[in-house]
Amino acid sequence: MNIASRTWLSRILATIPALLIAVLVIVPFAEMLSRFLDFSSIGALGGSSPIALLTRRAIENSLVQGMLSAATSFAVGLPLGFFLGRYEFRFKRLLRSFAILPIFLPSIVVVTAFISSFGPGSPTHAIYSGSTIFSTGLSGIVAVNTFFNAPLVAMMTMLSVERSNRTLDEAAMTLGASGMRRFISVWGRDGIIAGAGGSLLAFLYSFAGFTAPLIIGGPGYFTLEAWIYFMVRTLNNIPLAAVMSLVEAGALLLPAVFYFAFIGGTKRVYGTGRPPAEENRKHSPFFISGALYVAAWTGLECYILGSVFYSSLRLGQSSPGFGNFVLLFSTRTTVALGLPTSAVLLNTMFYGIMTSLLVTLIGLVWIYGKRRAASRALIVTDTVQFIPLVISAVIFSLSLAVTFEYTTSFAFDWILIIIAQSVLAIPIVLRVMEAGFSAIPPSYTEAALTLRGNPFFEVEVPIARSTLASALMFGFAMSLGEFTATNFLATTSYIPLGVQIYQLQVLRIFGAAEAAAAILLLMSLASFYVVQRAGEVFVAVR
Amino acid sequence: MPYVEVNGLRKKYRDSFELRNISFHLGKGEVFTLMGPSGSGKTSLLRNICGLDTPDAGSIVIDGREVNDLPTTRRGIGLIFQDLAIFPHMTVFDNIAYGLRAKRAAESEVRSRVMELSSILSIEDLLDRYPSQVSGGQRQRIALARSVAPSPSLLLLDEPLSSLDQQLRADVRSELKSFSRELGLTMIYVTHDHHEGLYMADSAGIIFDGRLEKSGSPMDIFESPGSEKVSSFLGYNVISLKGRRIAFYPTDFEISMEKGDVRGVVRSIGYEGEFYRAHVETESHESLQLTFPHENGTVRIKTGQSVNIILRRSVEIE
């Protein structure tokens, strides 16, 4: 193969994720709109019918929940990020991993955990009955969203602060800048920018929130996402759902574009300075107050996650033990769901493994092409990868179902679920892979080429092997945690654990739901641990 | 007949930099050094020769065969990168053996070649170590052994000594020269240090803004720099004298208190160990650097003092 052919092949490989997104997201979305979009149904939104009222309410809820959650996530996450990014202390790595853990947890587990932690019958409720504000209504939804998104803000802030230029900080110090001035002009500046970027993402995720509004909110608190789901699944009003999906996509596009413009357009002060700052002023009031704040956050995390195990083991009740687990695996549950829990566990593992393999394979092909094809067009195709942020999971799965499910047998639902989970994992897993592979200097690849070797398999992949392990585990964790699209697409034989928890709650078999949540939480914690371990043994060039 | 010929090579890059009509040649077993300041196109030229970039026009001929359309893997050209690009996940042995194994050489042949080269380069004790466990000079030798192991028809070296300190740099430079002579390597050696470039070269070229300004034997280049750019790069002072542009080396002068070729004011003077260095501004506001040994006696000149300079040797330039 000559040089020109190789370049073209590389360019094609580098566009594969974008092509997949186009075929599996954009085309089905357009197909769904072309089939069902009926602008005459917009008229129904203006009247005083229950549907019109609930639709207008859903738009309002999305905005309110999005803005409140973004604000609280920023307020809670920013101090966490500053403390963890700025100070060095023993067990920092462990604490850092634990602080950002909620990002990786399945939404259904977190919602269940909030109900167990603050709902009626919880230990908190026994002490203070007002604690139910964190498990019901708008306050409950915002609390859940904040628990998810504050770690995202913290992580982005922390990474930015860690990368801030130590030399510039020292230069400012020698020029007589006060601590506050250095914070504003050097190391804190990037942290605030990154944290603001994180809160924009929090807005996106909360605007299109699904699990919390569905389970602890109810119709009065439905977001557009939950309302579209309800319109399709319960009211069978697909034309209005199509209109609303267009509204939601438009509403998400604006902040998403703003996010990329904001992140790309702001000048950072990271640089070529020495490695991250090591601030060891452990007796300063900033350190002590930061440490207390982080301790409070991790204490809250321990309580919320511990409550899942607490309630699954019926601790504090008249008959503590494994009764909920026995119920989960009992014939009663099998009959109620039409599928034994062992099969549900197998489904969960199967989806996790297949999704992680598929998305990592897509990532490998993409990275291979991207490292070899220098083309400005790739900026456009890489941007396309973020479309799943704009076309939300319910709309995406509705489009996927409209395009493929009704033309194929329901027996192939499992394929659609794997496709859906993989597509939704692409923006994250590919970023993880890009970060790992970009640390490999191009000269290594070129050296292997001049020596007639195989640069990709002999040099790049071995050097980035722990990045690959991380990508696989991220894919697995995202499959475990994905609830919205999977719940939409899965029919009885193909449900995974997350959907099972929801169905058990709908059927009011709460004990089994709590036991299932405990198992899913354990699986998520295990996969998170492996991701962290893979990151620690990362051998790429630093 | 030349062993390596580059004829009319052109390449335009996105940042509007371009290699402009570059031609040179070298014989088998010769070393051609390519010198020039940062950003002049030295590395770009090497990348075109070894196939990492594709020229827009021109030809590259090695041993009578045009290699323009051959991918890098099939050109049989070795390249030592500025950062050396030693694979961090392989031992020193595996790094050196990499190119031989890629050629599917028998393992016994691989072992004997690795042992032979590591013995010549005195790195046989390092073979089981990882690159992170060896010193800068040793890394240099490993990179050299790795590139030479598959017996490339041409070896390209892209500022391979730039990361070393001055003393080690001189040692490795000397080892590299004797090693290349011992193995009869045909090399193109890129550097921005004209002392290093002239020392290594059988023939040399100086590149500016993507254009090969001057080529020839090291002595030709140094004795007749030809242009102002080349003269300045080689460390000459360039001044106007009696309507002509001339270049003279910082050591080729005498200070006179009476009459000289050039008159100027000493702006600064300092001791650098082997010699003194003075900066002088001429009456026509041209800046000169002059170096002279301690015993010269001229150290009595002081900052701010007017001096007359007699040129012992100078060359006329364009």
Side-chain angles (χ1 to χ4, degrees):
Chain A
M1 194 182 288
N2 63 28
I3 296 168
S5 310
R6 275 171 196 259
T7 306
W8 274 107
L9 177 67
S10 302
R11 284 181 187 164
I12 290 167
L13 294 178
T15 56
I16 278 184
L19 289 173
L20 284 173
I21 299 278
V23 171
L24 297 169
V25 181
I26 300 171
V27 171
F29 182 58
E31 163 77 8
M32 186 273 290
L33 290 178
S34 72
R35 271 208 226 173
F36 297 104
L37 191 61
D38 177 6
F39 284 107
S40 63
S41 60
I42 296 174
L45 304 180
S48 55
S49 66
I51 286 195
L53 289 173
L54 283 169
T55 304
R56 292 202 295 269
R57 185 75 187 270
I59 296 172
E60 186 188 322
N61 285 340
S62 281
L63 279 170
V64 169
Q65 289 172 27
M67 287 192 289
L68 282 177
S69 303
T72 51
S73 300
F74 185 72
V76 173
L78 202 69
L80 268 180
F82 278 133
F83 181 81
L84 293 170
R86 184 67 171 169
Y87 293 101
E88 288 295 327
F89 47 86
R90 284 181 75 192
F91 303 118
K92 177 181 169 177
R93 207 183 186 109
L94 180 71
L95 190 63
R96 196 169 70 161
S97 301
F98 191 69
I100 60 165
L101 173 66
I103 307 171
F104 297 88
L105 295 178
S107 55
I108 188 84
V109 170
V110 172
V111 171
T112 308
F114 265 74
I115 295 169
S116 304
S117 303
F118 303 109
S122 68
T124 326
H125 187 257
I127 300 165
Y128 172 59
S129 61
S131 70
T132 48
I133 60 163
F134 295 119
S135 64
T136 52
L138 177 64
S139 53
I141 294 167
V142 172
V144 170
N145 286 342
T146 305
F147 189 70
F148 263 121
N149 294 311
L152 180 68
V153 171
M155 186 172 75
M156 292 175 73
T157 306
M158 179 179 73
L159 292 175
S160 225
V161 170
E162 281 178 344
R163 286 160 62 189
S164 68
N165 191 327
R166 176 70 166 164
T167 312
L168 288 183
D169 199 7
E170 288 170 348
M173 212 184 290
T174 59
L175 291 165
S178 65
M180 180 54 80
R181 183 170 287 277
R182 282 187 288 124
F183 170 75
I184 291 168
S185 59
V186 187
W187 68 271
R189 184 181 172 279
D190 283 359
I192 293 170
I193 292 169
S199 69
L200 259 173
L201 286 179
F203 174 82
L204 283 174
Y205 292 138
S206 307
F207 184 94
F210 179 72
T211 317
L214 188 73
I215 297 175
I216 63 176
Y221 296 100
F222 274 2
T223 53
L224 271 173
E225 185 83 342
W227 180 231
I228 292 167
Y229 174 81
F230 192 75
M231 276 194 286
V232 175
R233 276 283 183 252
T234 309
L235 305 178
N236 203 25
N237 190 344
I238 298 181
L240 187 55
V243 172
M244 295 323 298
S245 68
L246 204 58
V247 171
E248 191 187 30
L252 286 172
L253 186 64
L254 209 63
V257 169
F258 183 65
Y259 170 78
F260 287 114
F262 176 69
I263 289 294
T266 45
K267 285 244 180 296
R268 303 301 182 91
V269 289
Y270 331 127
T272 52
R274 286 193 280 124
E278 186 168 333
E279 287 278 304
N280 278 321
R281 296 172 193 163
K282 291 185 180 164
H283 300 296
S284 77
F286 292 110
F287 182 86
I288 293 167
S289 50
L292 288 173
Y293 183 76
V294 174
W297 171 259
T298 47
L300 179 71
E301 267 187 88
C302 286
Y303 173 67
I304 290 173
L305 300 183
S307 70
V308 174
F309 298 115
Y310 183 88
S311 56
S312 69
L313 293 168
R314 294 178 177 174
L315 299 173
Q317 293 182 24
S318 54
S319 55
F322 291 94
N324 285 341
F325 291 91
V326 174
L327 176 63
L328 178 65
F329 288 92
S330 69
T331 320
R332 183 189 157 198
T333 303
T334 306
V335 170
L337 295 178
L339 191 70
T341 299
S342 54
V344 173
L345 283 172
L346 274 178
N347 284 345
T348 310
M349 292 300 293
F350 178 69
Y351 294 144
I353 292 166
M354 293 306 291
T355 298
S356 63
L357 286 176
L358 185 60
V359 76
T360 306
L361 184 66
I362 292 168
L364 270 177
V365 167
W366 171 68
I367 279 285
Y368 177 91
K370 191 176 166 68
R371 282 182 68 85
R372 284 153 184 79
S375 168
R376 285 181 190 174
L378 291 182
I379 296 171
V380 177
T381 55
D382 284 357
T383 307
V384 171
Q385 292 170 13
F386 290 97
I387 280 181
L389 283 179
V390 177
I391 297 176
S392 68
V394 162
I395 301 172
F396 162 54
S397 42
L398 167 65
S399 307
L400 208 58
V402 163
T403 310
F404 297 108
E405 197 173 59
Y406 302 134
T407 56
T408 58
S409 162
F410 284 108
F412 294 106
D413 274 357
W414 60 274
I415 296 177
L416 288 188
I417 292 170
I418 291 167
I419 288 174
Q421 292 183 349
S422 302
V423 165
L424 293 170
I426 278 178
I428 306 293
V429 173
L430 266 56
R431 298 287 83 69
V432 170
M433 295 180 71
E434 187 177 31
F437 277 84
S438 66
I440 303 172
S443 61
Y444 287 17
T445 306
E446 291 167 351
L449 268 179
T450 60
L451 293 162
R452 300 180 67 171
N454 184 322
F456 192 62
F457 290 108
E458 291 170 357
V459 177
E460 295 169 8
V461 168
I463 288 177
R465 61 182 182 268
S466 62
T467 297
L468 285 182
S470 293
L472 283 167
M473 291 317 300
F474 261 102
F476 188 78
M478 293 190 74
S479 165
L480 286 187
E482 208 298 309
F483 173 69
T484 314
T486 311
N487 182 47
F488 194 98
L489 292 168
T491 46
T492 307
S493 308
Y494 302 108
I495 59 168
L497 211 46
V499 177
Q500 188 197 35
I501 295 167
Y502 174 60
Q503 293 190 352
L504 288 168
Q505 283 172 343
V506 170
L507 294 168
R508 308 190 72 75
I509 311 175
F510 291 116
E514 284 162 355
I519 293 173
L520 188 54
L521 178 57
L522 268 179
M523 290 171 76
S524 303
L525 290 176
S527 66
F528 179 72
Y529 174 76
V530 177
V531 167
Q532 290 293 309
R533 291 293 297 165
E536 281 171 20
V537 297
F538 187 55
V539 291
V541 185
R542 301 187 196 219
Chain B
M1 184 183 168
Y3 182 66
V4 176
E5 273 185 279
V6 174
N7 295 313
L9 190 144
R10 293 170 198 266
K11 168 77 179 175
K12 193 162 189 170
Y13 288 88
R14 275 199 200 128
D15 56 2
S16 80
F17 174 79
E18 59 183 307
L19 294 173
R20 303 154 203 256
N21 199 23
I22 290 183
S23 301
F24 65 92
H25 58 81
L26 68 155
K28 192 170 172 61
E30 285 181 3
V31 178
F32 179 82
T33 60
L34 191 62
M35 298 175 275
S38 298
S40 56
K42 306 184 294 291
T43 300
S44 302
L45 180 56
L46 287 197
R47 292 177 64 83
N48 278 275
I49 292 171
C50 72
L52 292 170
D53 289 344
T54 313
D56 298 332
S59 68
I60 300 155
V61 178
I62 299 173
D63 200 10
R65 184 176 63 147
E66 185 173 313
V67 297
N68 284 42
D69 292 330
L70 289 180
T72 304
T73 47
R74 290 176 53 203
R75 289 196 185 187
I77 296 177
L79 173 58
I80 299 183
F81 291 81
Q82 195 168 356
D83 66 357
L84 304 181
I86 299 172
F87 304 134
H89 60 300
M90 294 180 194
T91 61
V92 171
F93 183 97
D94 290 336
N95 260 287
I96 301 172
Y98 184 86
L100 293 165
R101 285 175 176 155
K103 281 171 80 177
R104 308 225 186 287
E107 201 54 30
S108 57
E109 188 190 331
V110 170
R111 178 155 290 277
S112 97
R113 179 76 169 148
V114 172
M115 296 314 288
E116 178 199 2
L117 287 170
S118 58
S119 162
I120 297 173
L121 289 163
S122 307
I123 50 172
E124 62 266 56
D125 294 339
L126 310 176
L127 295 177
D128 293 331
R129 295 196 199 166
Y130 281 89
S132 58
Q133 299 167 320
V134 303
S135 70
Q138 289 166 336
R139 289 166 68 87
Q140 223 77 32
R141 295 190 189 105
I142 294 163
L144 181 60
R146 184 181 69 177
S147 297
V148 169
S151 305
S153 49
L154 172 65
L155 182 61
L156 311 177
L157 300 95
D158 186 6
E159 306 216 28
L161 310 183
S162 59
S163 61
L164 301 181
D165 59 56
Q166 209 171 357
Q167 184 54 48
L168 190 57
R169 200 178 164 117
D171 292 345
V172 177
R173 187 171 75 181
S174 150
E175 283 175 23
L176 188 56
K177 183 156 186 173
S178 64
F179 180 75
S180 69
R181 292 286 183 273
E182 194 176 331
L183 297 187
L185 295 172
T186 309
M187 304 200 309
I188 299 178
Y189 186 101
V190 157
T191 179
H192 64 267
D193 178 342
H194 71 272
H195 296 293
E196 187 176 305
L198 295 172
Y199 176 85
M200 292 297 295
D202 291 313
S203 58
I206 297 186
I207 188 169
F208 279 98
D209 299 329
R211 192 188 302 280
L212 196 61
E213 291 281 340
K214 176 91 181 163
S215 61
S217 73
M219 203 164 283
D220 283 345
I221 287 184
F222 191 77
E223 299 291 331
S224 320
S227 71
E228 184 168 336
K229 275 195 262 189
V230 174
S231 304
S232 298
F233 176 75
L234 293 171
Y236 282 88
N237 290 303
V238 178
I239 55 171
S240 295
L241 191 65
K242 295 172 187 164
R244 294 176 303 144
R245 294 293 282 167
I246 60 149
F248 73 96
Y249 214 66
T251 50
D252 292 339
F253 75 98
E254 278 172 27
I255 295 279
S256 165
M257 292 303 160
E258 293 161 4
K259 203 173 177 192
D261 300 310
V262 185
R263 186 171 171 76
V265 177
V266 178
R267 291 296 176 207
S268 68
I269 183 165
Y271 179 57
E272 288 192 9
E274 309 96 300
F275 48 73
Y276 283 83
R277 184 184 298 274
H279 290 261
V280 173
E281 186 180 340
T282 65
E283 285 174 330
S284 51
H285 304 294
E286 288 167 318
S287 180
L288 308 180
Q289 280 198 45
L290 309 174
T291 59
F292 43 87
H294 184 263
E295 59 270 20
N296 186 300
T298 51
V299 291
R300 281 172 301 202
I301 62 173
K302 293 193 173 88
T303 303
Q305 185 180 344
S306 291
V307 289
N308 294 305
I309 300 164
I310 301 167
L311 305 184
R312 283 204 297 248
R313 193 186 72 91
S314 62
V315 288
E316 193 166 342
I317 56 171
E318 293 159 13

